[in-house]
Amino acid sequence: MNNSAEKKLALTHLWVAFGAFGLAAVMGLYQVIERSGFFGFLESRAVYYASVSTHGVLMGFVLTTFFIMGFGYYTATSSLKMPVWNLSFAWVGFGVSLSGVVMAALPLLGGAASVLFTFYPPMQAHPLFYIGATLLVVGSWFWCVSMIVMYTQWKNANPGIAVPLAMFATTANAILWLWTSVGVAVEVLFQLIPWSLGWIDSIDPGLARTLFAWTLHPIVYFWLIPTYTAFYCLVPKQAGGFLFSDEMARAAFILLVVFSLPIGFHHLYMDPEQGHGWKILHAVGTFVVTLPTFITGFTVIASLEIAGRLNGGKGLFGWIAALPWTNPMVLAIILGLLMLIFGGFGGLVNASYAMNAMVHNTAWVSGHFHLIFGGTTVIMYFGVAYYLWPILSGKPLFCKAMAVKQLWTWFIGMIIMTTPWHILGLLGQPRRIDSVNYNNLLTLSWEPYEVTMMFGGAILLYSSALLLINLYKTQMGTEAYQGEIEYAEPIHAPDDLPEYLNSFKLWNIVIAVFMLIAFGYPILQFFLMETFGSGRWGV
Amino acid sequence: MHIDQLEKKWAGISLGIAGLFVAVILGSALFHGIHAPSNVETIDSARLHLSEEFAEDNLGAQLNADGSVTVRLVAGRYGFYPKNIVLPAETNITFRWVSLDVIHGVHIPMTNMSTMIVPGYVAQVQTLLHHTGEYPMLCNEYCGMGHAHMWSNLKVVSKTDWANMNNQGEASHE
Ligand code: HEM
Ligand SMILES: [Cu+2]
Ligand SMILES: [Cu+2]
């Protein structure tokens, strides 16, 4: 099958993703330096908050969304062995998303949208920011439609046969994202845009936060699913082995989608506009969603063990040494899992209803999500990029040793940056501060940690540069490379799969019921009680 | 369908772990008294000065008949008002927070007094402060350019000192 058009589509998305990443990484280093307060001439809160807002949007929304779309298109065409459905439709989606990014970037860079990536009202940004963000999401819905159509077409053409796991996971993510984005879409369309344009004068920040919480948790799984897809479908093959279990992988993806949606209130534990009982309900769900991650950890490590033993590794731990540590994708997963183990403990603290009060909105939180999201999730995006770039561009990877070095420096930089960041949180430092001004001795204890973070940030920026240079040089190479993506084989082929592990019909109904239970009354209550809206406030 | 024996075991173990977590949080939520603000009480943030409860004269600490203390504070860019308060240690304290502008958050480091302050709502937190000393109260939700400058001071004194201060007619908010 000639899929060069698909490759171009995927590669263009991925370049937007990593371009945004590169820009945001530069801002990241500036931020750790500015906030430390050691360089007086740099101090400017207006620039700092414009930068953090842009960095958050680029890393959180642009890198992720474009990576997911690009990887998804190529996964669909290569795993189903069919062309991408309606290519021009896909390009229109790309165009809509990209124009949204450009539109939002104008006020962001100009300092007219310094409301951070969570844009909590009643602080108001320029309307272009909200409209741009909406277009980014609307463009991604084109992708969701595309994935669901391709999945359905393939299923209809191959009745009773298991949908390839990689496509099953990608479709799961498309469905997850459609459900996820409803919350923020309602907030932006019915509250923020009309309010920022002056059509309505006040909005309820409590309702806005509730709707945002609808999106804020599952969006993390939207970012994570491509990483897990690579864990299950690409890594075992790269490591020289087999996938331990195809069925368990499907079960894990279904659990992720179903249980990540109705639990967003763990972001509202400390909020006054939702009651105790609802918070506890979501807290319980939050622990249920650890289940698929435990399953993933097990299946993936078992798959790696199989590979290590096939490579001749012996003994209890010998198989670890026998893994191909210089294969970028394998190295990425090893380092990613290490960061997941560290980060997992932190996550348990956040998620416990009682302990959350200690760390809520402190620097701990920023440290935690840089480790899990900037670390585990994104390092796998790098691993996938090194694998896909030669395939998509038709040129061999410029330098493998450089890739290995890049992954190691990313890991080391993350550990050096996020460990002190967590400690700062325990020492009471609030998140999102541009400088330290409190007239309290406590702040003296923060200084050494601020210094350490700067070193971490510098290593991370160096690492980002290595990545981008490698990808760029690959693309510019003169040699030709011919290869297609190779998916990992499961030990047991999934031949007599029950329908509930091959289809999402049942699960969509389950999700609808869960969402009704978890968000029905909590949203309805705002219309039942007397509430007082807020007007418009600048930053 | 093929599920490996080992995998079944592990799924069971995972379920057990998740169940254990759930039991622990439910237990701690039900028996140890949780201090999250969940009172769902609305208020018009634009007219706080006209409200009975949060009019300027009523802010600060107030001793209740049962020996507990209620503290009313208003968050506004960029401070928590009144800016200096003194509270007794080892006493049941109810904080009642409101915002007069945007969303703020507040925590007292090393304690479990933490809440978001959302305009339109009263955030109520109950707690006990165990250690005497000076504490900053820091804004921990981005609220605009001056976010890093938003704090006020809390002094925790022993119960008897606090009672003496109040008896001498000193305002509880210095
Ligand atoms: C080059 C390495 C990086 C450095 C030095 C860096 C540094 C920072 C700093 C200092 C902040 C401000 C946080 C606060 O004040 O609480 C921040 C915010 C943020 N970072 Fe990074 N970061 C880096 C990479 C990443 C990556 C890879 C991601 C995710 C893919 C990411 C996502 C975010 C997000 C979403 C925010 C906004 C947080 C908020 O608004 O509270 N960062 N970063
Ligand atoms: Cu969450
Ligand atoms: Cu504030």
Side-chain angles (χ1 to χ4, degrees):
Chain A
M1 188 178 93
N2 179 359
N3 54 7
S4 55
E6 277 80 4
K7 287 180 172 171
K8 191 170 155 206
L9 177 72
L11 194 57
T12 313
H13 279 85
L14 295 180
W15 265 119
V16 174
F18 286 107
F21 164 81
L23 197 63
V26 176
M27 296 176 159
L29 180 59
Y30 155 76
Q31 287 156 204
V32 275
I33 294 176
E34 204 273 4
R35 68 197 289 285
S36 72
F38 295 122
F39 300 88
F41 63 93
L42 270 180
E43 300 281 283
S44 159
R45 52 202 201 179
V47 176
Y48 180 81
Y49 285 120
S51 173
V52 179
S53 300
T54 313
H55 169 90
V57 168
L58 289 178
M59 290 293 196
F61 300 148
V62 183
L63 162 66
T64 49
T65 309
F66 278 88
F67 179 86
I68 291 164
M69 295 194 289
F71 184 34
Y73 281 125
Y74 187 63
T75 303
T77 182
S78 59
S79 67
L80 302 182
K81 302 199 173 53
M82 58 193 251
V84 163
W85 172 75
N86 199 337
L87 259 183
S88 21
F89 179 82
W91 279 110
V92 171
F94 172 81
V96 172
S97 283
L98 189 63
S99 53
V101 171
V102 173
M103 212 178 266
L106 298 173
L108 274 171
L109 294 172
S114 297
V115 290
L116 304 188
F117 84 123
T118 41
F119 47 88
Y120 290 129
M123 245 186 312
Q124 196 209 56
H126 193 282
L128 270 187
F129 171 72
Y130 301 122
I131 297 171
T134 307
L135 289 180
L136 170 59
V137 173
V138 171
S140 71
W141 288 343
F142 282 66
W143 173 80
C144 294
V145 170
S146 205
M147 293 302 104
I148 293 170
V149 168
M150 289 179 72
Y151 160 90
T152 312
Q153 284 179 340
W154 191 92
K155 249 190 111 193
N156 290 342
N158 301 274
I161 302 180
V163 177
L165 180 61
M167 188 58 192
F168 184 80
T170 305
T171 313
N173 208 16
I175 290 171
L176 171 71
W177 181 234
L178 286 174
W179 278 104
T180 300
S181 49
V182 169
V184 72
V186 170
E187 180 197 357
V188 172
L189 293 178
F190 293 100
Q191 292 193 295
L192 302 181
I193 291 180
W195 170 74
S196 67
L197 290 172
W199 300 343
I200 54 176
D201 284 326
S202 73
I203 59 176
D204 185 339
L207 174 59
R209 275 179 77 79
T210 302
L211 290 170
F212 197 76
W214 168 310
T215 299
L216 195 52
H217 191 74
I219 197 174
V220 175
Y221 287 88
F222 172 60
W223 302 333
L224 188 62
I225 284 183
T227 291
Y228 279 10
T229 308
F231 280 10
Y232 282 115
C233 304
L234 300 177
V235 166
K237 177 90 191 174
Q238 292 301 303
F242 298 91
L243 173 59
F244 188 59
S245 168
D246 182 285
E247 285 92 344
M248 278 310 254
R250 282 169 210 262
F253 283 115
I254 289 171
L255 286 172
L256 280 176
V257 173
V258 171
F259 282 101
S260 66
L261 275 158
I263 62 176
F265 280 14
H266 59 234
H267 297 277
L268 302 183
Y269 283 168
M270 295 298 141
D271 272 45
E273 77 277 2
Q274 294 295 347
H276 207 42
W278 297 106
K279 292 178 184 175
I280 291 184
L281 184 70
H282 286 236
V284 170
T286 301
F287 281 105
V288 176
V289 87
T290 57
L291 207 61
T293 290
F294 280 124
I295 293 177
T296 301
F298 181 80
T299 307
V300 166
I301 292 171
S303 307
L304 285 174
E305 183 179 343
I306 293 170
R309 297 208 185 279
L310 286 176
N311 296 346
K314 295 205 169 45
L316 196 52
F317 295 112
W319 61 270
I320 299 180
L323 289 172
W325 283 68
T326 54
N327 176 310
M329 183 154 334
V330 175
L331 182 59
I333 191 176
I334 294 172
L335 301 177
L337 287 176
L338 280 175
M339 291 188 276
L340 185 64
I341 292 170
F342 298 143
F345 288 114
L348 290 180
V349 172
N350 299 343
S352 10
Y353 195 33
M355 274 192 283
N356 184 266
M358 294 285 292
V359 297
H360 174 81
N361 266 0
T362 65
W364 169 285
V365 175
S366 310
H368 172 70
F369 76 72
H370 276 82
L371 184 58
I372 291 279
F373 175 28
T376 304
T377 305
V378 168
I379 206 168
M380 213 55 212
Y381 288 14
F382 300 158
V384 171
Y386 289 126
Y387 182 59
L388 287 188
W389 237 257
I391 296 172
L392 298 179
S393 68
K395 316 275 176 62
L397 186 65
F398 171 67
C399 180
K400 193 169 132 184
M402 190 166 155
V404 168
K405 185 167 157 196
Q406 188 269 326
L407 295 168
W408 274 110
T409 46
W410 190 259
F411 172 73
I412 293 167
M414 266 302 160
I415 298 295
I416 296 181
M417 181 170 79
T418 59
T419 308
W421 218 344
H422 280 86
I423 299 174
L424 282 170
L426 295 178
L427 292 172
Q429 184 178 95
R431 74 192 274 201
R432 299 175 153 180
I433 55 171
D434 66 299
S435 52
V436 174
N437 312 289
Y438 314 116
N439 65 342
N440 192 288
L441 288 180
L442 185 64
T443 61
L444 287 183
S445 66
W446 296 350
E447 283 180 4
Y449 301 103
E450 298 271 358
V451 176
T452 319
M453 278 181 65
M454 283 195 282
F455 286 104
I459 297 173
L460 288 170
L461 182 60
Y462 169 70
S463 175
S464 317
L466 288 183
L467 170 82
L468 291 175
I469 293 170
N470 212 350
L471 298 183
Y472 178 76
K473 294 260 183 157
T474 300
Q475 183 107 30
M476 292 295 127
T478 46
E479 267 175 79
Y481 173 90
Q482 283 234 321
E484 290 295 329
I485 192 167
E486 291 181 287
Y487 291 106
E489 302 280 337
I491 298 182
H492 300 273
D495 21 56
D496 52 346
L497 211 55
E499 191 55 14
Y500 63 84
L501 286 184
N502 201 31
S503 148
F504 296 97
K505 280 204 191 80
L506 169 66
W507 303 114
N508 274 315
I509 298 169
V510 172
I511 292 171
V513 172
F514 277 8
M515 291 310 268
L516 194 69
I517 295 172
F519 281 92
Y521 181 79
I523 290 178
L524 189 67
Q525 65 160 1
F526 292 100
F527 301 93
L528 300 178
M529 61 188 178
E530 188 190 15
T531 57
F532 303 91
S534 292
R536 283 176 273 273
W537 296 86
V539 294
Chain B
M1 193 161 63
H2 176 95
I3 303 278
D4 196 271
Q5 233 10 69
L6 257 178
E7 235 169 5
K8 277 191 195 142
K9 275 198 198 123
W10 177 252
I13 294 173
S14 308
L15 207 63
I17 298 176
L20 192 71
F21 288 151
V22 168
V24 169
I25 45 163
L26 279 183
S28 71
L30 297 176
F31 301 114
H32 291 280
I34 292 291
H35 309 277
S38 306
N39 49 318
V40 197
E41 182 183 335
T42 63
I43 188 166
D44 189 348
S45 280
R47 305 167 152 267
L48 290 178
H49 53 293
L50 300 177
S51 75
E52 192 122 310
E53 185 179 357
F54 291 95
E56 208 168 329
D57 291 345
N58 288 335
L59 300 182
Q62 237 169 44
L63 185 63
N64 302 321
D66 63 358
S68 67
V69 170
T70 302
V71 198
R72 296 184 177 80
L73 290 126
V74 172
R77 296 198 286 194
Y78 291 103
F80 301 101
Y81 307 100
K83 280 211 88 160
N84 296 295
I85 53 171
V86 183
L87 293 175
E90 303 298 349
T91 306
N92 280 316
I93 297 181
T94 303
F95 284 91
R96 285 174 63 77
W97 302 88
V98 289
S99 163
L100 59 79
D101 43 41
V102 299
I103 295 176
H104 302 275
V106 61
H107 72 277
I108 304 175
M110 325 296 182
T111 73
N112 60 9
M113 201 326 286
S114 171
T115 181
M116 301 300 297
I117 310 170
V118 180
Y121 299 84
V122 180
Q124 178 169 310
V125 184
Q126 261 139 4
T127 191
L128 276 177
L129 300 167
H130 296 295
H131 304 285
T132 59
E134 308 259 352
Y135 293 83
M137 295 198 279
L138 307 174
C139 179
N140 65 19
E141 185 51 274
Y142 174 66
C143 55
M145 290 295 148
H147 167 52
H149 294 264
M150 181 157 172
W151 79 90
S152 56
N153 305 303
L154 164 67
K155 191 167 164 184
V156 180
V157 299
S158 72
K159 236 173 157 154
T160 40
D161 286 354
W162 197 78
N164 290 339
M165 271 171 52
N166 281 358
N167 288 342
Q168 286 157 13
E170 272 188 45
S172 55
H173 46 91
E174 296 193 328

